[in-house]
Amino acid sequence: MITLLGTNITDKIYNTAISRQYTPEAAAAIAATISLEVSGITLISYRGDRYRKYADYSERKNSNPQLPDTQIAFIFDNLSDYNVSRVKYAKTIDDAVRAFNEEYLKKTLDTTEFLTLTILANEINRLFVEEA
């Protein structure tokens, strides 16, 4: 079973990103995006090949695919299949939000989605940076 550091999903996403050397801006952008993507027990809905990779990953790790920790760990392991450097080393929240959505989720954000995510990501970043 996979266990990540944190008391809630946002903590776990942010802490996992930081532990994997993502910038604080990238960590906050990923946490904000996933927080708004959550649908029931699924953090991100997978289809096709990515779903099969997730099912295989869960089985290999002997971890329940419905657990948030399994889903979060997969997201960060799976990011290596994409242009992770654009996300990982983003210097601004704006760049990180765009990069994660475009590169990993393959999603083009409209203005409202982009502004919502950047506001949330800035708040998450402020909370974590001030606590440090």
Side-chain angles (χ1 to χ4, degrees):
M1 179 185 329
I2 297 169
T3 304
L4 303 176
L5 179 65
T7 58
N8 60 50
I9 290 171
T10 302
D11 287 352
K12 290 178 180 209
I13 295 167
Y14 190 91
N15 291 334
T16 300
I18 294 298
S19 73
R20 293 182 184 218
Q21 309 303 309
Y22 284 71
T23 63
E25 294 81 8
I30 295 167
T33 301
I34 293 172
S35 294
L36 291 182
E37 288 283 325
V38 173
S39 171
I41 59 171
T42 304
L43 300 182
I44 295 177
S45 296
Y46 296 119
R47 292 179 199 85
D49 186 48
R50 197 181 285 180
Y51 176 79
R52 284 186 292 283
K53 284 182 181 180
Y54 180 61
D56 291 345
Y57 177 87
S58 299
E59 189 174 317
R60 262 193 339 275
K61 298 291 184 177
N62 195 29
S63 194
N64 183 337
Q66 295 180 340
L67 294 175
D69 288 15
T70 305
Q71 295 175 52
I72 293 165
F74 173 75
I75 289 165
F76 284 96
D77 286 351
N78 189 242
L79 269 165
S80 64
D81 293 345
Y82 300 85
N83 186 4
V84 70
S85 63
R86 185 172 167 221
V87 178
K88 188 172 190 174
Y89 303 112
K91 295 189 186 302
T92 68
I93 297 280
D94 292 12
D95 289 345
V97 165
R98 279 194 184 95
F100 184 70
N101 280 275
E102 291 171 3
E103 299 294 336
Y104 188 70
L105 297 179
K106 302 297 183 197
K107 180 178 179 182
T108 301
L109 300 171
D110 65 30
T111 302
T112 302
E113 290 171 316
F114 176 72
L115 291 173
T116 301
L117 287 172
T118 55
I119 289 167
L120 181 56
N122 274 296
E123 184 62 18
I124 291 169
N125 193 49
R126 185 187 64 75
L127 290 171
F128 278 93
V129 170
E130 284 182 5
E131 287 180 9

XYZ file of all heavy atoms in Angstrom, residues 8-66:
467
model
N -4.652 15.835 4.166
C -5.739 15.886 3.197
C -5.144 15.780 1.793
O -3.922 15.753 1.625
C -6.601 17.153 3.368
C -5.802 18.421 3.183
O -5.076 18.577 2.207
N -5.925 19.343 4.117
N -5.998 15.728 0.798
C -5.529 15.519 -0.574
C -4.608 16.645 -1.036
O -3.561 16.401 -1.633
C -6.725 15.328 -1.531
C -7.383 13.982 -1.246
C -6.294 15.416 -2.990
C -8.684 13.740 -1.956
N -4.971 17.882 -0.736
C -4.133 19.014 -1.158
C -2.751 18.916 -0.526
O -1.732 19.103 -1.207
C -4.807 20.347 -0.797
O -6.086 20.395 -1.424
C -3.978 21.535 -1.250
N -2.684 18.621 0.781
C -1.391 18.439 1.460
C -0.567 17.352 0.780
O 0.625 17.515 0.541
C -1.589 18.000 2.919
C -2.077 19.078 3.843
O -2.143 20.245 3.431
O -2.399 18.743 4.998
N -1.211 16.230 0.505
C -0.497 15.089 -0.061
C 0.038 15.400 -1.457
O 1.168 15.031 -1.789
C -1.407 13.861 -0.097
C -1.688 13.323 1.300
C -2.631 12.148 1.282
C -2.869 11.679 2.711
N -3.166 10.270 2.794
N -0.750 16.085 -2.260
C -0.294 16.448 -3.612
C 0.882 17.421 -3.515
O 1.916 17.235 -4.156
C -1.436 17.052 -4.439
C -2.526 16.007 -4.688
C -0.910 17.621 -5.765
C -3.831 16.572 -5.211
N 0.719 18.472 -2.714
C 1.761 19.484 -2.576
C 3.051 18.842 -2.039
O 4.136 19.045 -2.594
C 1.291 20.613 -1.657
C 2.214 21.802 -1.657
C 2.015 22.851 -2.546
C 3.300 21.869 -0.794
C 2.871 23.941 -2.560
C 4.161 22.950 -0.806
C 3.940 23.987 -1.686
O 4.794 25.061 -1.702
N 2.936 18.062 -0.959
C 4.115 17.442 -0.351
C 4.800 16.457 -1.292
O 6.030 16.389 -1.337
C 3.734 16.744 0.958
C 3.357 17.722 2.046
O 3.794 18.861 2.054
N 2.509 17.284 2.970
N 4.010 15.707 -2.049
C 4.598 14.762 -3.004
C 5.365 15.518 -4.085
O 6.488 15.139 -4.446
C 3.509 13.873 -3.637
O 2.850 13.136 -2.596
C 4.101 12.909 -4.652
N 4.786 16.597 -4.581
C 5.469 17.390 -5.612
C 6.779 17.963 -5.084
O 7.818 17.867 -5.749
C 4.547 18.506 -6.110
N 6.737 18.547 -3.906
C 7.958 19.130 -3.320
C 9.011 18.044 -3.088
O 10.192 18.236 -3.390
C 7.629 19.887 -2.012
C 6.747 21.106 -2.306
C 8.898 20.269 -1.258
C 7.361 22.162 -3.209
N 8.582 16.878 -2.592
C 9.542 15.791 -2.334
C 10.165 15.272 -3.630
O 11.247 14.697 -3.606
C 8.887 14.649 -1.568
O 8.021 13.908 -2.393
N 9.503 15.508 -4.748
C 10.034 15.083 -6.050
C 10.687 16.247 -6.801
O 10.846 16.202 -8.006
C 8.932 14.436 -6.877
C 8.473 13.115 -6.254
C 7.431 12.457 -7.083
N 6.940 11.250 -6.444
C 6.634 10.143 -7.083
N 6.755 10.093 -8.397
N 6.171 9.102 -6.438
N 11.014 17.284 -6.066
C 11.787 18.416 -6.579
C 11.035 19.329 -7.538
O 11.646 20.008 -8.363
C 13.094 17.943 -7.234
C 13.935 17.013 -6.386
C 14.307 17.615 -5.042
O 14.795 18.719 -4.985
N 14.058 16.900 -3.958
N 9.714 19.379 -7.449
C 8.933 20.347 -8.223
C 9.037 21.699 -7.521
O 9.222 21.763 -6.301
C 7.460 19.936 -8.299
C 7.191 18.809 -9.258
C 7.607 17.506 -8.985
C 6.517 19.039 -10.449
C 7.356 16.469 -9.871
C 6.251 18.001 -11.338
C 6.684 16.727 -11.039
O 6.436 15.707 -11.916
N 8.912 22.769 -8.287
C 8.910 24.097 -7.669
C 7.646 24.247 -6.825
O 6.631 23.572 -7.085
C 8.915 25.221 -8.727
O 7.701 25.148 -9.499
C 10.138 25.140 -9.638
N 7.662 25.128 -5.828
C 6.440 25.378 -5.051
C 5.281 25.840 -5.940
O 4.124 25.482 -5.693
C 6.857 26.471 -4.070
C 8.326 26.287 -3.905
C 8.814 25.845 -5.267
N 5.588 26.603 -6.978
C 4.557 27.069 -7.901
C 3.909 25.889 -8.630
O 2.684 25.829 -8.781
C 5.149 28.067 -8.910
C 5.617 29.360 -8.301
C 7.002 29.288 -7.642
O 7.705 28.266 -7.776
O 7.376 30.269 -6.978
N 4.738 24.935 -9.066
C 4.219 23.746 -9.746
C 3.409 22.892 -8.782
O 2.330 22.400 -9.132
C 5.364 22.936 -10.351
N 3.915 22.725 -7.566
C 3.196 21.930 -6.558
C 1.817 22.517 -6.299
O 0.813 21.793 -6.247
C 4.008 21.872 -5.270
N 1.747 23.826 -6.159
C 0.468 24.491 -5.898
C -0.470 24.382 -7.103
O -1.676 24.157 -6.943
C 0.701 25.955 -5.541
N 0.068 24.519 -8.296
C -0.760 24.428 -9.509
C -1.346 23.031 -9.684
O -2.520 22.879 -10.027
C 0.062 24.813 -10.739
N -0.542 22.011 -9.435
C -1.024 20.637 -9.551
C -2.085 20.373 -8.480
O -3.143 19.800 -8.771
C 0.142 19.631 -9.458
C 1.076 19.804 -10.661
C -0.376 18.199 -9.366
C 2.412 19.093 -10.512
N -1.822 20.803 -7.257
C -2.791 20.609 -6.173
C -4.108 21.318 -6.479
O -5.192 20.756 -6.272
C -2.209 21.100 -4.853
N -4.038 22.529 -6.979
C -5.253 23.285 -7.308
C -6.029 22.601 -8.414
O -7.254 22.427 -8.331
C -4.888 24.711 -7.720
N -5.338 22.190 -9.462
C -6.004 21.561 -10.601
C -6.688 20.262 -10.188
O -7.853 20.041 -10.509
C -4.995 21.294 -11.734
O -4.414 22.541 -12.135
C -5.666 20.644 -12.928
N -5.979 19.423 -9.467
C -6.565 18.149 -9.063
C -7.713 18.376 -8.090
O -8.733 17.687 -8.164
C -5.484 17.211 -8.486
C -4.517 16.821 -9.606
C -6.126 15.978 -7.860
C -3.301 16.062 -9.148
N -7.585 19.344 -7.212
C -8.668 19.645 -6.268
C -9.965 19.979 -6.996
O -11.047 19.619 -6.544
C -8.282 20.817 -5.360
O -7.215 20.457 -4.539
N -9.855 20.657 -8.123
C -11.049 21.013 -8.883
C -11.494 19.911 -9.844
O -12.610 19.933 -10.332
C -10.835 22.312 -9.653
C -10.727 23.565 -8.788
C -10.571 24.801 -9.657
C -11.927 23.717 -7.866
N -10.628 18.937 -10.108
C -10.952 17.834 -11.011
C -11.672 16.692 -10.300
O -12.280 15.849 -10.944
C -9.671 17.258 -11.650
C -9.025 18.135 -12.676
C -9.749 18.105 -14.015
O -10.277 17.052 -14.415
O -9.788 19.162 -14.652
N -11.586 16.626 -8.984
C -12.103 15.494 -8.218
C -13.561 15.216 -8.559
O -14.395 16.109 -8.573
C -11.950 15.739 -6.703
C -12.630 14.643 -5.901
C -10.492 15.844 -6.321
N -13.813 13.937 -8.831
C -15.171 13.489 -9.154
C -15.439 12.221 -8.346
O -14.959 11.145 -8.702
C -15.271 13.206 -10.658
O -16.493 12.590 -10.945
N -16.166 12.348 -7.250
C -16.421 11.187 -6.390
C -15.141 10.736 -5.729
O -14.463 11.509 -5.082
N -14.772 9.464 -5.933
C -13.545 8.932 -5.333
C -12.362 9.019 -6.287
O -11.263 8.620 -5.954
C -13.730 7.473 -4.869
C -14.135 6.581 -6.029
C -14.725 7.389 -3.732
C -14.132 5.113 -5.711
N -12.588 9.547 -7.486
C -11.544 9.627 -8.499
C -10.987 11.040 -8.557
O -11.727 12.000 -8.720
C -12.115 9.239 -9.878
O -12.690 7.947 -9.778
C -11.044 9.246 -10.930
N -9.676 11.172 -8.419
C -9.047 12.484 -8.500
C -9.014 12.975 -9.942
O -9.285 14.129 -10.219
C -7.640 12.451 -7.921
C -7.539 12.039 -6.452
C -6.081 12.086 -5.998
C -8.407 12.907 -5.569
N -8.629 12.095 -10.854
C -8.600 12.401 -12.283
C -9.193 11.192 -13.004
O -8.825 10.056 -12.711
C -7.165 12.660 -12.793
C -6.588 13.911 -12.156
C -7.148 12.780 -14.302
C -5.160 14.203 -12.555
N -10.082 11.436 -13.939
C -10.679 10.331 -14.705
C -9.730 9.927 -15.827
O -9.307 10.759 -16.617
C -12.015 10.773 -15.303
O -12.930 11.050 -14.285
N -9.406 8.652 -15.858
C -8.540 8.119 -16.905
C -9.356 7.291 -17.881
O -10.308 6.621 -17.499
C -7.441 7.229 -16.308
C -6.497 7.973 -15.402
C -6.374 7.623 -14.070
C -5.729 9.008 -15.885
C -5.497 8.302 -13.237
C -4.858 9.698 -15.058
C -4.742 9.333 -13.739
O -3.885 10.000 -12.922
N -8.913 7.322 -19.134
C -9.546 6.517 -20.179
C -8.457 5.850 -21.014
O -7.317 6.296 -21.016
C -10.403 7.407 -21.090
C -11.623 7.979 -20.405
C -12.412 8.871 -21.395
N -13.287 9.764 -20.678
C -12.948 10.941 -20.173
N -11.725 11.389 -20.316
N -13.829 11.691 -19.532
N -8.847 4.815 -21.704
C -7.954 4.184 -22.669
C -6.642 3.708 -22.092
O -6.600 3.054 -21.050
N -5.561 4.057 -22.787
C -4.232 3.590 -22.427
C -3.822 4.055 -21.027
O -3.230 3.296 -20.266
C -3.214 4.069 -23.471
C -1.834 3.486 -23.239
O -1.754 2.249 -23.040
O -0.852 4.255 -23.253
N -4.138 5.289 -20.682
C -3.760 5.797 -19.358
C -4.511 5.038 -18.257
O -3.955 4.772 -17.204
C -3.996 7.296 -19.245
C -3.225 7.876 -18.066
C -3.425 9.341 -17.878
N -2.707 10.141 -18.844
C -2.748 11.469 -18.861
N -3.456 12.124 -17.975
N -2.084 12.136 -19.762
N -5.756 4.659 -18.504
C -6.502 3.870 -17.527
C -5.829 2.509 -17.330
O -5.665 2.042 -16.204
C -7.966 3.677 -17.939
C -8.692 2.782 -16.973
C -9.147 3.270 -15.755
C -8.871 1.427 -17.252
C -9.775 2.447 -14.835
C -9.498 0.596 -16.343
C -9.945 1.108 -15.136
O -10.552 0.275 -14.232
N -5.429 1.876 -18.434
C -4.751 0.581 -18.325
C -3.436 0.718 -17.558
O -3.097 -0.128 -16.739
C -4.504 -0.013 -19.720
C -5.764 -0.605 -20.352
C -5.491 -1.325 -21.655
N -5.073 -0.433 -22.738
C -5.902 0.341 -23.431
N -7.178 0.348 -23.160
N -5.451 1.118 -24.393
N -2.704 1.793 -17.825
C -1.452 2.028 -17.084
C -1.735 2.196 -15.593
O -0.987 1.706 -14.751
C -0.741 3.273 -17.620
C -0.048 3.075 -18.933
C 0.669 4.356 -19.352
C 1.357 4.185 -20.683
N 2.050 5.409 -21.092
N -2.817 2.912 -15.277
C -3.161 3.114 -13.868
C -3.557 1.800 -13.201
O -3.118 1.503 -12.084
C -4.282 4.155 -13.708
C -4.648 4.360 -12.265
C -3.703 4.834 -11.360
C -5.914 4.057 -11.790
C -4.004 5.004 -10.030
C -6.231 4.225 -10.453
C -5.263 4.697 -9.577
O -5.563 4.860 -8.252
N -4.346 0.994 -13.867
C -4.748 -0.303 -13.315
C -3.521 -1.188 -13.098
O -3.383 -1.823 -12.036
C -5.750 -0.985 -14.249
N -2.609 -1.230 -14.070
C -1.376 -2.008 -13.932
C -0.520 -1.473 -12.784
O 0.043 -2.242 -11.998
C -0.562 -1.974 -15.228
C -1.221 -2.739 -16.360
O -2.157 -3.526 -16.101
O -0.810 -2.522 -17.527
N -0.407 -0.155 -12.689
C 0.380 0.484 -11.625
C -0.165 0.085 -10.250
O 0.596 -0.316 -9.370
C 0.317 2.003 -11.801
C 1.030 2.787 -10.736
C 2.392 3.066 -10.843
C 0.354 3.279 -9.625
C 3.050 3.798 -9.872
C 1.010 4.005 -8.646
C 2.351 4.263 -8.768
O 3.003 4.982 -7.806
N -1.475 0.178 -10.084
C -2.106 -0.165 -8.805
C -1.838 -1.616 -8.436
O -1.538 -1.930 -7.280
C -3.618 0.078 -8.861
O -3.886 1.422 -9.122
N -1.936 -2.477 -9.428
C -1.691 -3.896 -9.181
C -0.226 -4.139 -8.815
O 0.085 -4.856 -7.863
C -2.073 -4.703 -10.423
C -2.062 -6.198 -10.184
C -2.592 -6.966 -11.380
O -3.602 -6.542 -11.962
O -1.963 -7.996 -11.722
N 0.705 -3.535 -9.568
C 2.144 -3.686 -9.292
C 2.501 -3.199 -7.892
O 3.333 -3.782 -7.208
C 2.971 -2.886 -10.306
C 3.518 -3.655 -11.444
C 4.583 -2.915 -12.256
N 4.635 -1.480 -12.175
C 3.911 -0.623 -12.909
N 3.040 -1.073 -13.783
N 4.048 0.677 -12.773
N 1.867 -2.092 -7.486
C 2.157 -1.510 -6.168
C 1.330 -2.157 -5.057
O 1.468 -1.792 -3.897
C 1.884 0.000 -6.183
C 2.743 0.779 -7.158
C 4.174 0.802 -6.711
C 5.009 1.673 -7.640
N 6.387 1.785 -7.212
N 0.473 -3.113 -5.449
C -0.402 -3.793 -4.493
C -1.178 -2.775 -3.655
O -1.226 -2.859 -2.425
C 0.397 -4.743 -3.599
C -0.496 -5.710 -2.863
O -1.563 -6.069 -3.347
N -0.070 -6.116 -1.678
N -1.756 -1.806 -4.351
C -2.458 -0.717 -3.685
C -3.847 -0.543 -4.297
O -4.024 -0.670 -5.512
C -1.650 0.576 -3.830
O -2.117 1.554 -2.954
N -4.802 -0.242 -3.467
C -6.187 -0.051 -3.895
C -6.261 1.145 -4.845
O -5.908 2.265 -4.459
C -7.068 0.178 -2.668
C -8.534 0.327 -2.993
O -8.910 0.675 -4.106
N -9.361 0.086 -1.999
N -6.746 0.956 -6.069
C -6.799 2.058 -7.034
C -7.768 3.171 -6.640
O -7.702 4.267 -7.200
C -7.231 1.383 -8.337
C -7.857 0.103 -7.930
C -7.230 -0.294 -6.631
N -8.640 2.921 -5.692
C -9.579 3.956 -5.262
C -9.010 4.862 -4.177
O -9.588 5.901 -3.881
C -10.884 3.317 -4.774
C -11.623 2.615 -5.893
C -12.920 1.988 -5.428
O -13.117 1.745 -4.252
N -13.806 1.745 -6.370
